[in-house]
Amino acid sequence: MPEEPLASSVHALRAPRSWPGRLAELRQRAPGRADLLWAGVNAVLMGAAWSHLAGSGTPPGPGLPVLAAGALIGTAALTVRSRWPLSVLAVALILQLAGVAAGIDGPLRLTACIALFAVVLTSRAAVAGAAVLATLAISAASIFSLPHDLAFPLISYLAAWWFLVLAAVIPAILLRAQLADLAHRDAALRATAMSLRDQAEQEYLRERTAVASELHDSVGHAMTAVVALADGGARSLPDHPDEAREALRVIEQTARECLGRTRDVVERLHDPRAARQSRRIGDIADLASTIRAAGLDVDVAESGEPGGGAAVENACFHVAQEGLTNVLRHARRARLVRVRICHREQATRVEVEDDGDPLAFDVVPQRHGLAGLETRVTGLGGTFEAGPVPGRGWRTAATLPWAGSR
């Protein structure tokens, strides 16, 4: 997935789009601070109400002491309303009933509204609905219990209803929706982060496998050829110095080519964006020349018209390279190696087969090259096979579909 679209999508997920969203994000990050804030608001307003009533000549009685006690207890309860919203609402309603009994419950409704806000915000819909009804019932009872004229009860009830709805229920519902949206965004961000981490790990493993395969193919093939050439040159030096000199020339050429390919791999380690070296089917002839210099007869034949593109030709080269290298490494008494490349039916098939002694697949040491080669071939939608052939020899083969037929 491209980085820029991912970054923009992550930014879109993170950005709150309204004031309820900002409040929801604040509450989600620090619910205790929100509780302290509302408790402070309650304390200030209750203190103002007490001062107003005390200065307005309220008749002696339990009203002011009950209001003061209710303000202290309600403020203390509101500091933990996010943790125990139903319990805090119950305390607030009890304080409101005590205010009704003392004839001064009006200011105590504020504490109940703040507590109701938390219940609607955090509880299930049924529990929140029951809490709203209970609060309204107690508010109505408190209104009807106070002295009033004939018009006062209905007006006061409606005022209390709209106050509760507007001040507690509706903002809580809006904030609840924003909290749900934030939870969804958070889940999406976590899923995106995990997906990015998985993609990075997979890309790292693919790159690591590719680098290991490149090193195995280049260094492994070159070193195998160099060892074989050096061994043959050492044996021919006393009687055939010209052959020894030719072996040394091929060793030098092979080592230089290996050094160049190794530099390419190291450059890719420093800069993964560096272009990979792609090989062509025509390069198989150079491989065959190196193997012939090591003392094996190599017969290369190609039929049909190639049409698979650079990726298929690169894979064909590596199949031939691995097959020829394994002949040098493992084949016993092999004298002839046949390399066949056939282009037909929207696919290219490459085979490397020797005439050495039969060798069981499970006794071939260090099959890293074959495993990497199979990964390379199957990554192009092809099939890979390697194993002893009936009678004599070993075959390494792959069938690679062309891009248009996958």
Side-chain angles (χ1 to χ4, degrees), residues 214 217-218 257-265 267-268 274-280 283 310 314-315 317-318 321 376:
E214 292 286 346
D217 292 346
S218 59
E257 292 176 355
C258 175
L259 181 60
R261 290 194 292 270
T262 303
R263 284 173 178 168
D264 292 338
V265 173
E267 183 179 354
R268 280 180 51 208
R276 298 183 181 182
Q277 185 181 21
S278 181
R279 311 302 292 268
R280 313 293 293 188
D283 297 331
N314 184 61
F317 172 85
H318 285 286
Q321 183 183 53
R376 185 192 296 270

Side-chain angles (χ1 to χ4, degrees), residues 93 96 105 109 112 134-144 157 160 164:
L93 294 178
Q96 188 173 347
D105 75 317
R109 294 179 191 173
T135 305
L136 289 174
I138 293 175
S139 297
S142 65
I143 291 170
F144 280 101
Y157 183 78
L164 289 170

Side-chain angles (χ1 to χ4, degrees), residues 224-234 246-248 250-251 254 290 292-295:
T224 299
V226 165
V227 169
L229 288 166
D231 183 58
E246 177 63 17
L248 289 175
V250 177
I251 287 174
T254 303
T290 303
R292 290 190 189 102

Side-chain angles (χ1 to χ4, degrees), residues 78-360:
L78 289 177
T79 60
V80 292
R81 68 182 190 125
S82 294
R83 186 176 300 179
W84 299 298
L86 288 174
S87 299
V88 172
L89 178 61
V91 170
L93 294 178
I94 292 173
L95 292 176
Q96 188 173 347
L97 290 175
V100 171
I104 192 169
D105 75 317
L108 294 173
R109 294 179 191 173
L110 174 63
T111 306
C113 288
I114 297 175
L116 179 63
F117 179 91
V119 173
V120 175
L121 183 64
T122 59
S123 302
R124 297 192 304 271
V127 175
V132 171
L133 292 177
T135 305
L136 289 174
I138 293 175
S139 297
S142 65
I143 291 170
F144 280 101
S145 67
L146 296 175
H148 53 77
D149 55 33
L150 293 178
F152 182 75
L154 181 59
I155 295 175
S156 298
Y157 183 78
L158 291 175
W161 166 267
W162 286 110
F163 177 75
L164 289 170
V165 170
L166 295 177
V169 178
I170 291 179
I173 292 174
L174 293 175
L175 192 56
R176 181 171 182 159
Q178 290 295 326
L179 284 173
D181 183 64
L182 280 177
H184 174 73
R185 291 171 185 267
D186 184 67
L189 282 172
R190 290 177 184 274
T192 302
M194 292 183 65
S195 176
L196 285 173
R197 184 180 64 182
D198 292 341
Q199 290 178 20
E201 290 179 354
Q202 291 173 7
E203 182 62 28
Y204 168 76
L205 291 176
R206 281 195 297 268
E207 189 65 23
R208 178 178 175 180
T209 301
V211 170
S213 179
E214 292 286 346
L215 285 174
H216 177 275
D217 292 346
S218 59
V219 177
H221 167 76
M223 292 300 100
T224 299
V226 165
V227 169
L229 288 166
D231 183 58
R235 287 198 302 266
S236 62
L237 181 60
D239 301 326
H240 305 282
D242 292 339
E243 293 181 4
R245 280 193 293 271
E246 177 63 17
L248 289 175
R249 186 192 67 78
V250 177
I251 287 174
E252 179 187 10
Q253 178 183 353
T254 303
R256 288 183 183 276
E257 292 176 355
C258 175
L259 181 60
R261 290 194 292 270
T262 303
R263 284 173 178 168
D264 292 338
V265 173
V266 172
E267 183 179 354
R268 280 180 51 208
L269 288 175
H270 289 290
D271 182 10
R273 296 170 296 181
R276 298 183 181 182
Q277 185 181 21
S278 181
R279 311 302 292 268
R280 313 293 293 188
I281 290 178
D283 297 331
I284 296 177
D286 296 333
L287 287 176
S289 298
T290 303
I291 301 302
R292 290 190 189 102
L296 279 174
D297 188 13
V298 182
D299 178 24
V300 180
E302 182 178 4
S303 61
E305 292 295 328
V312 170
E313 292 202 23
N314 184 61
C316 287
F317 172 85
H318 285 286
V319 171
Q321 183 183 53
E322 182 66 20
L324 291 172
T325 302
N326 284 341
V327 172
L328 283 180
R329 283 180 177 175
H330 308 304
R332 294 176 298 200
R333 293 183 291 186
R335 301 183 63 84
L336 174 64
V337 185
R338 296 181 181 86
V339 181
R340 298 290 182 264
I341 303 106
C342 180
H343 310 284
R344 58 183 175 83
E345 298 178 357
Q346 298 294 307
T348 296
R349 180 170 176 81
V350 56
E351 293 184 358
V352 180
E353 184 176 328
D354 66 78
D355 62 352
D357 291 341
L359 187 64

